[in-house]
Amino acid sequence: MSFPSSSLPLAVSVGEPSGVGVDITLAAFQRRQSLGLPRFFLLADPEMVARRAERLALDVQVRTIGSPDESGADGRFLDILPLVNPHSEAPGRPDPANAAGTIEAIDRATRLVLDGAAAAIVTNPIDKKALYDAGFRHPGHTEYLADLCASLTGRACQPVMLLTGPDLSCVPVTIHIPLADVPATLTCELILSTARIVARDLSLRFGLERPRLAVSGLNPHAGERGAIGREDEAVIRPAVEILRTEGFEVVGPLPGDTMFHPEARARYDVAVCMYHDQALIPAKTLAFDETVNVTLGLPIIRTSPDHGTAADLAGTGTARPNSFIAALRLAGRMAGIGDAVEDSPA
């Protein structure tokens, strides 16, 4: 599919400063020309980033800019839009005092995309415990972005997490909740709204004219027609049937233990799963370094690496930037940066 071309840069939020977000951003910037990465700028504390580059012995110079349109003017420098709230440079040691800057980076990046100053946002991982200790009250990054977009636009949105890699794309219907709460949270209406958003955004963002959805069951063997739990027949199957009457190409509920082998994956574009790990375990197992987290259902394009802060690797120079690089590339393709491309979920 041909996407409209955009000359705007990507906005990258720094994430948790004690984690590997800074490391992988620096590593990606070093390889930007050889890999042909889209232009991006980082919302961060410039001094903290410069100290991390020195710690990692990376030949990366940082430059402070005043607005996104200044980014890329001198390709020798990693352009940074500075934060009002400073960040300490302490790899592996999360500090609630850094929370204000972490949230500021997300907020400002989101505003810049909504205002048309940046093409998309690529978010580095956050440490939810450090944010919780500072008063953060959202289940996760995805839910926070949805509430932020709703408050800025005045339009409610349902965030849908898509994990997409070269061999598999998965969506969890329920996300950051305890496993014990999944059966009560899982409703026919939630499955329907999630699947509709997935189908719409696969068409709008990825160019799939008629996306093929595979809906998993919740219980072992998809419930064995009610013998192993009632949710599959009482909640999931009715949702699948309604989606079919609405014209969607969808199958299910399918047993979770037989829908991820190669032959099964060839029959669908996205697996719609019932809970977080049912989706993320196969996606990350198949392609941990190439899988990207995309948030569907938002008025902006948002991608992210598929991993966490990896604080034990921060500052060591051993963190691999592959998933972050894939997130940059996918955000660029979705936003139409550079040449028109053809791309779709696995």
Side-chain angles (χ1 to χ4, degrees), residues 297-333:
L298 300 180
I300 62 172
I301 295 169
R302 180 260 179 148
T303 68
S304 183
D306 70 344
H307 55 72
T309 59
D312 57 323
L313 301 180
T316 68
T318 59
R320 295 191 298 271
N322 304 54
S323 184
F324 178 76
I325 288 170
L328 285 171
R329 282 178 161 160
L330 182 56
R333 291 196 294 266

Side-chain angles (χ1 to χ4, degrees), residues 53-111:
E54 183 178 359
R55 180 189 295 272
L56 295 170
L58 295 177
D59 184 20
V60 176
Q61 299 182 66
V62 304
R63 184 183 71 145
T64 298
I65 59 174
S67 64
D69 58 10
E70 297 176 23
S71 68
D74 189 333
R76 297 173 300 171
F77 297 95
L78 171 59
D79 290 325
I80 299 182
L81 199 61
L83 302 176
V84 174
N85 297 283
H87 270 158
S88 63
E89 203 275 318
R93 299 196 297 276
D95 184 348
N98 286 323
T102 301
I103 295 301
E104 179 194 344
I106 300 168
D107 290 358
R108 290 175 60 190
T110 302
R111 288 178 182 271

Side-chain angles (χ1 to χ4, degrees), residues 259-271:
M259 64 183 292
F260 297 113
H261 63 81
E263 184 179 347
R265 298 198 309 268
R267 295 193 288 266
Y268 59 81
D269 297 305
V270 176

Side-chain angles (χ1 to χ4, degrees), residues 8-12 24-30 32 37-42 65 68 71-72 77-80 122 324 328 337:
L8 297 173
L10 303 176
V12 176
I24 59 180
T25 302
L26 289 164
F29 180 77
Q30 270 203 319
R32 69 198 181 285
L37 298 179
R39 180 167 58 107
F40 68 89
F41 63 92
L42 177 65
I65 59 174
S71 68
F77 297 95
L78 171 59
D79 290 325
I80 299 182
V122 179
F324 178 76
L328 285 171
I337 293 177

Side-chain angles (χ1 to χ4, degrees), residues 192 233 236-246 250 252:
L192 288 171
E233 297 300 318
I236 303 172
R237 191 176 300 281
V240 170
E241 292 173 353
I242 291 171
L243 290 168
R244 285 178 183 152
T245 65
E246 294 178 352
V250 56

